[in-house]
Amino acid sequence: MDTALQTRTPAKPSTTAPAPWGRVRRSRHVADQALKIICTLFTVLGAFVLGWILLMLLVEGIGGLSPAVFTQTTPGPGSQGGGIANAIVGSLILTVLGIVVATPVGVLAGTYLAEYGKGSKLAEIIRFVNDILLAAPSILIGLFVYMLMVQPMGGYSGWAGGVALAIIAVPVIVRTTEDMLRLVPGSLREAGAALGAPMSTVIIKISWKAARAGMVTGVLLATARIAGETAPLLFTALNNNFWFSPTLMGGVSNLPVMIFQFALSPYENWRELAWAGALIITLSILALSIVARLLLNKDKAR
Amino acid sequence: MTALSQERLVTRADAPARRSSQSGFDRIFRLASLGSALLVLIVLLGIIGAMIYGGLPAFREFGFGFITSSVWNVNEDQYGAWVAIVGTLSTALIALVIGVPLSLGIAIFLTQLCPPWLKRPVATTIELLAAVPSIIYGMWGLFVFAPLFANYVQIPVSNIVEGMPIVGTILYARTPSGVGILTAGIILAIMIIPFIASIARDILDQIPSVLRESAYGIGCTTWEVVRNVLLPQAGVSIIGAVMLGLGRALGETMAVTFVVGNANRLSGSVFDPGSTIASRIANEFNEAIGLQLNALMALGCILFLVTFTVLVLARLLVARVKVG
């Protein structure tokens, strides 16, 4: 066998070093190399697409960035100038509203799954349902909140938008909270319980404290997730080209829906503002996700 | 003696009071966390209920024909879901055909080929693709990708296949504008890659390295290890991961709304504009009244049923791995 191989490829030192046992047939080698090359190419392609998207955002968005973008409200159809200050502020308010509603619910539900429910049937079901919600199309959540709040309350409102975003954020927070609490060693809890502390004290003072960084990461990831959500806001907060009412009733301007409407508009000025908004929102979300990841890695390394 | 008993009395009077307030908080805390957990369940039931309640009038009006009819005429109040269903399924299918090999390639690269120092940056880059809002993919797709796609793919391909049987129908663009079913499928593929890739990576990472090492030990190449050890081991979970990606692709709204073309008629060509359930809801909902609103809700109901089924199957196949 060895000699046969050698006669086929005479003693010329090959550039691709043959395996030490000298039996690797060429077709096996080809398949192996093909796999390696294809997988590497695919990865490069994935990274390339991200780079391409970011580059286009920078190229198209930076031209539109000016002080006016941050200080003036959105211009009317066809008019010049203007900014997206109202959309930026509206987006911030809606995102904060969503996170403020979602955090206690998500943290407590995650706590139930990790500390109280554990292996129970109910916990199993809720875990499953949470995973479904995590991946459910966000537009359906928009429809749900439309029927839950917009129709009964008689109109679009920032509150409905906040609730829709909260429903999207909750599963993310539940998931990370549970996962992080599970990493807390049981011996810590037992030590707390041995001192006579009731369960709630053990959870708050020991489990939550130990899992804090991971739980904060969950909230940050949830914030990043809802900050760019558009579909659920279409039917809840809608949009508004002016400053919205302080009671958050009626349409509340927000970046995602503004981008959607302006990008598809025939007005050059609106499209430029859409690109500027897209740049702002993407950079903030990427920054948020990177911070969340760094926090998580630090926590895992510890 | 009296002092002592008084002291004991005091502590006894004090202790139960403290314990009961503590156990009171304990109970409230427990109930609050149980309530929050139940809220998650209630929200899902609420979504199901709302979709059925909202869509019922349309289902009642058109019956089963709502699903099979391809008429969508607002003026005559006639609605059928077929065009949107076909659009949803075909864009999702295209997304899988393109996205799954790419995702698996990336997962294999990250777990088997990547040098350790490169692992973290590459994985983060791919995962950041998931953090980019879908509306950004839509804008990029419409303003950057679609013109290139029209010039370099649609027009040349259409010129070649024009007049051919079958292929000529599927690949001929009547109006090569760059938007259409195929473009939507490609954008969706890019969007689901990070999800499938990161889940597949986690699955491959969970395979005991003893298996891999023993295969290498008897002289297997990387390809053989992947083909004969990793894929059979992870097969079922990877199918689950692909179905999670399918769930995403079916329900994705904003990116698709930008690039699908939003046409209400059925076309045999993948280059022609179409619409999906999600894109139609996004486009028409705010102007819809009466029966049209119910028809859109009924579309939402169908979308929910389809994605719910896919997601449940996916969840059963993938044991808990992280998402997003």
Side-chain angles (χ1 to χ4, degrees):
Chain A
M1 206 38 191
D2 272 355
T3 45
L5 196 80
Q6 267 167 10
T7 46
R8 210 147 39 104
T9 51
K12 193 174 61 183
S14 66
T15 42
T16 53
W21 52 93
R23 279 226 203 150
V24 177
R25 276 189 12 234
R26 184 160 284 165
S27 67
R28 292 180 61 199
H29 227 38
V30 169
D32 189 45
Q33 288 301 321
L35 173 88
K36 285 179 177 165
I37 291 170
I38 288 172
C39 289
T40 313
L41 271 181
F42 282 0
T43 311
V44 171
L45 192 66
F48 168 74
V49 170
L50 181 72
W52 192 6
I53 292 173
L54 292 183
L55 190 72
M56 280 321 291
L57 271 178
L58 282 174
V59 168
E60 301 274 344
I62 268 184
L65 284 186
S66 66
V69 165
F70 298 98
T71 53
Q72 295 179 21
T73 57
T74 39
S79 59
Q80 286 304 304
I84 49 175
N86 51 340
I88 294 175
V89 175
S91 258
L92 281 177
I93 291 177
L94 292 179
T95 307
V96 168
L97 191 61
I99 270 307
V100 165
V101 174
T103 301
V105 176
V107 164
L108 282 172
T111 303
Y112 176 82
L113 293 182
E115 305 276 348
Y116 290 110
K118 276 182 198 135
S120 73
K121 198 106 203 155
L122 181 66
E124 202 94 314
I125 294 171
I126 287 170
R127 205 168 282 137
F128 195 77
V129 164
N130 191 63
D131 283 347
I132 299 291
L133 269 185
L134 195 61
S138 58
I139 193 162
L140 295 181
I141 290 165
L143 286 184
F144 169 58
V145 176
Y146 176 86
M147 299 200 69
L148 186 77
M149 292 180 72
V150 176
Q151 264 188 347
M153 287 165 68
Y156 301 105
S157 70
W159 301 107
V163 168
L165 293 182
I167 293 177
I168 293 167
V170 163
V172 182
I173 300 176
V174 171
R175 185 66 178 272
T176 40
T177 304
E178 194 202 346
D179 287 350
M180 291 304 140
L181 286 178
R182 284 181 160 205
L183 293 177
V184 177
S187 52
L188 275 182
R189 295 190 187 91
E190 281 159 22
L195 291 173
M199 186 112 173
S200 55
T201 314
V202 171
I203 292 172
I204 295 171
K205 296 240 166 94
I206 297 173
S207 300
W208 280 7
K209 215 166 192 174
R212 197 170 45 194
M215 287 158 71
V216 171
T217 307
V219 174
L220 285 182
L221 283 178
T223 314
R225 170 89 197 268
I226 62 175
E229 279 288 351
T230 314
L233 294 180
L234 282 176
F235 326 132
T236 50
L238 199 64
N239 196 10
N240 186 347
N241 274 357
F242 316 98
W243 284 107
F244 36 86
S245 100
T247 57
L248 294 186
M249 295 308 288
V252 173
S253 44
N254 59 87
L255 274 175
V257 179
M258 185 283 289
I259 294 171
F260 178 53
Q261 292 177 345
F262 280 23
L264 291 175
S265 80
Y267 312 112
E268 192 60 37
N269 184 32
W270 273 19
R271 284 202 210 171
E272 236 167 57
L273 288 174
W275 278 111
L279 179 67
I280 293 169
I281 209 165
T282 310
L283 289 186
S284 345
I285 287 171
L286 289 184
L288 256 179
S289 346
I290 290 172
V291 169
R293 252 161 247 283
L294 290 178
L295 254 180
L296 195 68
N297 288 333
K298 216 169 84 188
D299 198 42
K300 267 184 187 159
R302 197 158 48 116
Chain B
M1 199 51 191
T2 39
L4 199 85
S5 66
Q6 256 175 2
E7 208 178 278
R8 269 175 61 189
L9 262 176
V10 168
T11 45
R12 262 166 95 196
D14 192 31
R18 215 168 56 200
R19 196 177 307 143
S20 83
S21 84
Q22 255 179 1
S23 76
F25 177 76
D26 208 42
R27 197 178 305 139
I28 291 169
F29 186 79
R30 194 198 157 89
L31 283 178
S33 64
L34 175 65
S36 301
L38 286 175
L39 203 59
V40 174
L41 189 66
I42 292 168
V43 165
L44 188 79
L45 294 176
I47 294 175
I48 300 175
M51 291 300 125
I52 294 175
Y53 175 78
L56 210 55
F59 284 125
R60 212 178 272 147
E61 174 79 23
F62 303 112
F64 191 69
F66 179 73
I67 293 173
T68 53
S69 158
S70 53
V71 183
W72 190 274
N73 192 328
V74 179
N75 294 327
E76 290 167 24
D77 244 5
Q78 288 295 314
Y79 304 104
W82 188 239
V83 177
I85 292 175
V86 170
T88 307
L89 296 180
S90 51
T91 49
L93 186 72
I94 294 169
L96 286 191
V97 168
I98 300 169
V100 169
L102 279 162
S103 323
L104 294 186
I106 292 171
I108 291 170
F109 177 82
L110 280 174
T111 51
Q112 316 296 321
L113 306 172
C114 188
W117 59 271
L118 199 61
K119 241 179 198 176
R120 176 69 62 73
V122 172
T124 311
T125 307
I126 300 298
E127 276 171 24
L128 283 182
L129 269 173
V132 174
S134 72
I135 192 159
I136 304 299
Y137 283 99
M139 284 181 82
W140 178 79
L142 181 64
F143 295 117
V144 181
F145 183 77
L148 292 174
F149 189 71
N151 280 334
Y152 295 105
V153 180
Q154 272 192 341
I155 294 175
V157 170
S158 294
N159 287 341
I160 293 171
V161 301
E162 187 170 7
M164 284 190 198
I166 303 172
V167 186
T169 317
I170 299 174
L171 291 178
Y172 181 70
R174 260 171 290 257
T175 47
S177 57
V179 298
I181 295 283
L182 183 58
T183 314
I186 293 171
I187 301 291
L188 280 177
I190 299 172
M191 297 184 67
I192 62 173
I193 284 171
F195 289 99
I196 304 182
S198 74
I199 299 170
R201 187 198 61 188
D202 287 350
I203 294 165
L204 291 180
D205 266 343
Q206 279 166 14
I207 295 174
S209 50
V210 179
L211 282 177
R212 198 182 312 157
E213 280 157 15
S214 47
Y216 281 121
I218 58 166
C220 285
T221 60
T222 310
W223 159 247
E224 284 158 348
V225 172
V226 168
R227 170 78 191 74
N228 300 318
V229 179
L230 299 185
L231 288 186
Q233 273 285 318
V236 176
S237 313
I238 284 180
I239 293 172
V242 169
M243 295 195 74
L244 272 180
L246 176 62
R248 293 250 163 204
L250 289 170
E252 182 44 55
T253 311
M254 300 321 295
V256 173
T257 307
F258 269 92
V259 296
V260 78
N262 303 307
N264 277 345
R265 59 185 169 72
L266 208 56
S267 165
S269 171
V270 288
F271 282 145
D272 278 342
S275 61
T276 69
I277 293 178
S279 73
R280 179 159 296 169
I281 297 174
N283 267 319
E284 296 185 11
F285 195 83
N286 281 327
E287 277 109 45
I289 40 159
L291 197 56
Q292 190 188 0
L293 199 67
N294 295 124
L296 290 171
M297 287 284 189
L299 279 182
C301 195
I302 295 171
L303 177 63
F304 187 83
L305 278 179
V306 176
T307 46
F308 187 78
T309 315
V310 168
L311 291 176
V312 167
L313 283 176
R315 278 290 153 209
L316 294 176
L317 294 176
V318 188
R320 252 173 114 67
V321 284
K322 76 166 193 208
V323 177

